[in-house]
Amino acid sequence: MSTKDFLEKDYYKALGVSKTAKPAEIKTAYRKLARKYHPDANKGDASAEERFKEISEAYSVLSDEKRRKEYDEARSLFGGSFRVPTGNRTGGGFNFDLGDIFGGTAGDAGGGLGDLFGGVFNRGRNTAQNRPRRGADVETETTLSFGDAIDGSTVALRLTGEGPCPTCHGTGAKAGTVPRVCPVCDGTGQSSRNLGSFGISEPCKECRGRGLVVDDPCPACVGSGRAMSSRTIQSRIPAGVADGQRIKIPGKGAPGERGGPPGDLYVRVHVKPHQVFGRSGDNLTVTVPVTFAELALGAEVKVPAHRGAPVTVRIPPGTPNGRTFRVQGKGVRRKDGTTGSLLVTVEVMVPQDLNGKARSAIEELREATAGQDPREELLERAKEA
Ligand SMILES: [Zn+2]
Ligand SMILES: [Zn+2]
C-alpha cells in the first residue's frame, strides 16, 4: 500500500462496513469475507484471489488504530475521488509533500502486503521482486546396482526443499492475523545507504529482506513463512549411466514462483560395483583365469557375459598372459542403439597344490625347456648405459 492506495481505495467498502464501524465489527466482517474468499476455498479463481487481497489489505489498515486514523485523515482531506498525479508534474496545483500530511509515516505502508499476497497469488506490485521467477535447481543422489545402471532404471527420488509454510500459506502470521509492513524499510526489504553520488542497497536487517514483520507468528514456521517439505518422485535413469555421472531431469526442480517455470533436477548417480564385471566407458570388462597350457597350446574358453549366456573366446596358441580379447556386442547399450564390447583379459592361474601326475608333467616340461632362459634378453639389455 502506498499513499496513493490510501487515496484511491475504499477500505470500508472493501470490508462492507461503515466509516464509523467499531474494531470488533471490522474484525468480524474481515473474518467472514476472508473465509469466503480464501484461496484454499477458491482454487484457481483469480477474482476471488483479487478480492481476498483487497480485503486483507483493507483489514491491515483498518485494524490498526493509528493507520486507520491516517487513512481517514487522508480521505477527508482529499475526498474519495482524489487521484495522486503521476510522473513529474510541475507548475500544477500539487506542490506539496504527501509525507507531510501523514506526519512522515506515509511510507509505513510501503507495499509489503502487495509482495506478500503477490507471492502467494501470483500477482502483486510490478517490481523485480514480483516478476515470475524460475524455481531453483535441485540436486539429489541415487545409488544403482551395476545392472540397473547398464539397463536403465526407474528410481524413487526423495527431494527436500523449502517452500511456503502450509499452515499459514507463506504469510508467516498466525491464523487470523496479518503481517505488518516493516517500518524500517517501508516494506521494500532493502535498506539503502547513500554514499555521495551513489547508493548501495542491502537486505533490510529488521525484516531480513522480507518487507514484512510478523507480530503473532505462525506456530508451524515461527513466522518465517517458509517450511521444508519433501516429496518423492519417480524418475527414469537412462541406460548406460556411469558411476559419478550427473543426470539432468528438466522441470523437476523446485516449483517456480509467481507463475515462473520450475527448475531442473540434477541426479548424481552412484553405481555399486559388480563382483565380476567392470566398466570402461561403454565396454564391460572381465578378467578370466586360464591355465598355462591353455595359453601355450591354445584353447576355447567359456567366459561369463553380463545378463546372458556365457560366450566362447578362442585363445590362439602362444597367447601371452594378460592379453585382452574383444567380444563385440556384449557391452553397454549406447543411446544410438549400438552396443559396446566385452573386454576379456586372460590371467594365468598357478596351481597351489599339484597332484603327482601334474607335478611330474611340469617337471618334464622344465627339463624339456632347460636350454631356454626367459631372462637372458632382459639381463643383456640391462647392461646398456
Ligand atoms: Zn525491513
Ligand atoms: Zn507458517
Side-chain angles (χ1 to χ4, degrees):
M1 285 151 288
S2 64
T3 308
K4 187 165 171 271
D5 287 336
F6 269 23
L7 298 172
E8 288 182 357
K9 292 180 181 172
D10 190 338
Y11 293 143
Y12 292 104
K13 202 172 144 200
L15 292 180
V17 294
S18 74
K19 289 190 171 59
T20 55
K22 299 254 183 324
E25 208 180 313
I26 289 169
K27 195 171 190 173
T28 307
Y30 165 71
R31 289 207 167 150
K32 201 174 141 206
L33 290 167
R35 259 200 299 279
K36 183 173 172 192
Y37 292 104
H38 196 281
D40 278 358
N42 300 276
K43 286 224 163 71
D45 183 345
S47 65
E49 282 179 15
E50 195 56 54
R51 186 82 177 89
F52 186 71
K53 236 179 88 181
E54 193 180 79
I55 58 186
S56 301
E57 185 182 318
Y59 181 66
S60 76
V61 173
L62 298 187
S63 62
D64 182 319
E65 201 187 323
K66 186 173 153 232
R67 293 176 63 201
R68 182 180 176 184
K69 197 162 155 261
E70 289 167 2
Y71 175 71
D72 288 345
E73 281 170 4
R75 306 248 330 159
S76 66
L77 204 52
F78 297 107
S81 61
F82 181 89
R83 295 192 77 84
V84 174
T86 50
N88 283 331
R89 186 143 175 182
T90 50
F94 299 104
N95 199 11
F96 56 83
D97 181 354
L98 283 167
D100 292 345
I101 298 165
F102 302 107
T105 59
D108 234 15
L113 273 180
D115 279 350
L116 166 64
F117 292 109
V120 176
F121 304 127
N122 294 333
R123 51 167 59 84
R125 289 187 314 166
N126 187 24
T127 67
Q129 291 173 346
N130 282 299
R131 277 189 215 118
R133 204 166 72 184
R134 183 178 172 276
D137 290 341
V138 174
E139 295 256 1
T140 188
E141 294 183 306
T142 190
T143 300
L144 299 181
S145 73
F146 187 84
D148 283 348
I150 289 171
D151 300 339
S153 173
T154 299
V155 294
L157 300 171
R158 195 173 155 85
L159 309 177
T160 306
E162 203 190 51
C165 167
T167 305
C168 61
H169 306 282
T171 66
K174 198 169 149 189
T177 71
V178 180
R180 194 156 52 83
V181 169
C182 174
V184 174
C185 63
D186 294 339
T188 62
Q190 298 285 313
S191 66
S192 43
R193 279 188 284 153
N194 282 320
L195 300 170
S197 56
F198 63 94
I200 57 164
S201 189
E202 57 192 7
C204 169
K205 286 190 179 68
E206 177 74 14
C207 61
R208 280 174 292 172
R210 204 173 154 215
L212 295 167
V213 286
V214 172
D215 295 321
D216 288 319
C218 158
C221 63
V222 208
S224 71
R226 310 290 290 173
M228 292 302 281
S229 63
S230 70
R231 61 195 163 113
T232 302
I233 63 160
Q234 298 290 323
S235 183
R236 183 79 194 155
I237 303 294
V241 289
D243 186 44
Q245 205 174 320
R246 199 161 167 259
I247 308 284
K248 178 181 176 180
I249 300 171
K252 295 288 183 187
E257 285 177 40
R258 293 176 283 276
D264 298 325
L265 172 63
Y266 289 91
V267 185
R268 176 79 63 188
V269 178
H270 304 285
V271 180
K272 283 188 212 147
H274 194 277
Q275 290 200 23
V276 170
F277 299 99
R279 279 272 295 273
S280 172
D282 295 331
N283 299 322
L284 291 180
T285 60
V286 63
T287 297
V288 175
V290 290
T291 64
F292 172 74
E294 283 171 332
L295 291 189
L297 304 175
E300 290 196 338
V301 298
K302 252 188 197 177
V303 303
H306 189 251
R307 301 238 160 115
V311 292
T312 301
V313 173
R314 203 184 64 81
I315 297 170
T319 295
N321 184 44
R323 174 163 287 184
T324 297
F325 296 88
R326 178 183 291 268
V327 183
Q328 269 168 359
K330 296 288 177 187
V332 179
R333 201 173 169 79
R334 301 188 187 100
K335 269 194 199 129
D336 64 4
T338 62
T339 310
S341 302
L342 174 64
L343 303 177
V344 181
T345 302
V346 292
E347 187 178 74
V348 166
M349 295 309 285
V350 176
Q352 297 301 298
D353 14 50
L354 289 169
N355 62 37
K357 200 181 163 194
R359 170 172 288 273
S360 55
I362 290 173
E363 283 167 353
E364 267 179 54
L365 174 68
R366 183 171 58 189
E367 279 161 39
T369 57
Q372 301 171 14
D373 181 357
R375 292 165 292 280
E376 193 178 357
E377 204 184 319
L378 181 75
L379 293 165
E380 272 314 305
R381 274 201 221 149
K383 288 177 188 162
E384 286 170 23

